[in-house]
Amino acid sequence: MSDLQKIQNQIKDKLLLGINEGMVRFPISDPNFNPLCTQIQEKESPFLNISKCTACSLSDKRKRVLIETKMISKSFFVLSDFPDTIDEASEDVFSIQSPISSIVLNLLNKLNILKDCHFSFAIKCVPERGLPENAIKTCGLRNLSQEIFQVEPKVILCFGYRALQSLTHLDKNLNSSDFLENSEMRNISLDGLSMRVFFLSSIRDLRDFPHWRRDVWNVLQPLAFKANS
């Protein structure tokens, strides 16, 4: 073997070694692998955690916890005091069959913002005889806070004083004593989120006093118009 052949073989051996070394450090890609199809990590939905809540005595006799199964970003977070038995028996959070919840559903539909609304209750179980002590605070801190953080709304439409109370437990700067019904309050802050809050008449009051619905309409119409423009 000539000196030239020896040099050629040495070069060949080094090249093969380099190729093998490269394959070890950077393995051949899976032919089915597509970097554009990698899954983006999403926030874990709190639905299962909230639906199993046993933080107060309402969990003893309830049929279900009324909470949206899919929590995606929506502009409007519709918050009411508590559900009724018709809501509970349905598959929705706010049931169109309920004489109470249907009032708000019809209102939001006429404002053309219904599809951009997430529906929730301050108390997510039907109360049979009044509310347990600290139920609003407990449900707000344990459940409502997770829900709001997941949905990331721009606006909270707060129907009723109990719904407002639940928000005051999430942001101490939101003072329920300085409220004016059917008006915009100061923003609420939660985990870096800042949201506008509109304090509105309770849905039960809107059922019993239909003439108050005009006041709610006048508050929400400019907001809805801006959202739709």
Side-chain angles (χ1 to χ4, degrees), residues 7-202:
I7 294 174
Q8 289 176 337
N9 287 337
Q10 289 176 359
I11 294 174
K12 181 179 178 181
D13 291 340
K14 288 183 178 181
L15 287 175
L16 290 174
L17 179 63
I19 292 173
N20 290 331
E21 186 72 14
M23 288 182 179
V24 172
R25 293 183 182 180
F26 305 100
I28 297 176
S29 299
D30 184 339
N32 296 321
F33 174 75
N34 185 347
L36 298 179
C37 296
T38 55
Q39 294 183 349
I40 300 175
Q41 186 175 2
E42 299 179 352
K43 291 185 297 185
E44 183 179 356
S45 173
F47 166 73
L48 290 177
N49 183 36
I50 297 175
S51 64
K52 297 178 181 179
C53 178
T54 57
C56 75
S57 60
L58 291 179
S59 62
D60 296 339
K61 296 183 179 180
R62 72 176 180 225
K63 294 181 180 178
R64 70 182 180 104
V65 175
L66 275 80
I67 182 173
E68 298 273 12
T69 56
K70 294 183 179 180
M71 296 188 194
I72 59 176
S73 294
K74 294 288 184 73
S75 296
F76 299 95
F77 193 101
V78 183
L79 181 65
S80 183
D81 292 334
F82 50 82
D84 62 18
T85 54
I86 300 178
D87 290 318
E88 185 182 45
S90 73
E91 295 181 354
D92 301 312
V93 178
F94 281 30
S95 172
I96 193 64
Q97 304 300 324
S98 167
I100 299 175
S101 294
S102 61
I103 294 173
V104 170
L105 293 174
N106 287 326
L107 170 67
L108 299 175
N109 185 52
K110 290 179 180 178
L111 290 169
N112 198 29
I113 59 174
L114 182 62
K115 292 183 179 180
D116 201 17
C117 291
H118 176 92
F119 296 94
S120 181
F121 291 103
I123 300 294
K124 303 185 184 307
C125 303
V126 176
E128 290 187 349
R129 298 178 182 177
L131 297 176
E133 185 178 0
N134 292 326
I136 294 178
K137 179 179 180 179
T138 301
C139 196
L141 293 174
R142 176 187 173 90
N143 301 324
L144 182 60
S145 60
Q146 296 184 64
E147 195 176 5
I148 292 176
F149 181 71
Q150 187 76 19
V151 177
E152 298 181 328
K154 297 177 181 177
V155 178
I156 297 179
L157 304 181
C158 180
F159 289 88
Y161 184 69
R162 292 183 179 88
L164 179 61
Q165 278 185 303
S166 68
L167 293 179
T168 62
H169 291 300
L170 305 185
D171 185 347
K172 298 301 182 182
N173 293 319
L174 193 68
N175 194 340
S176 61
S177 63
D178 297 331
F179 69 88
L180 180 62
E181 197 170 273
N182 295 325
S183 65
E184 182 174 3
M185 303 184 66
R186 65 175 300 279
N187 286 17
I188 183 175
S189 296
L190 176 66
D191 292 332
L193 299 176
S194 181
M195 297 149 282
R196 299 171 68 184
V197 178
F198 288 80
F199 176 53
L200 308 166
S201 302
S202 73

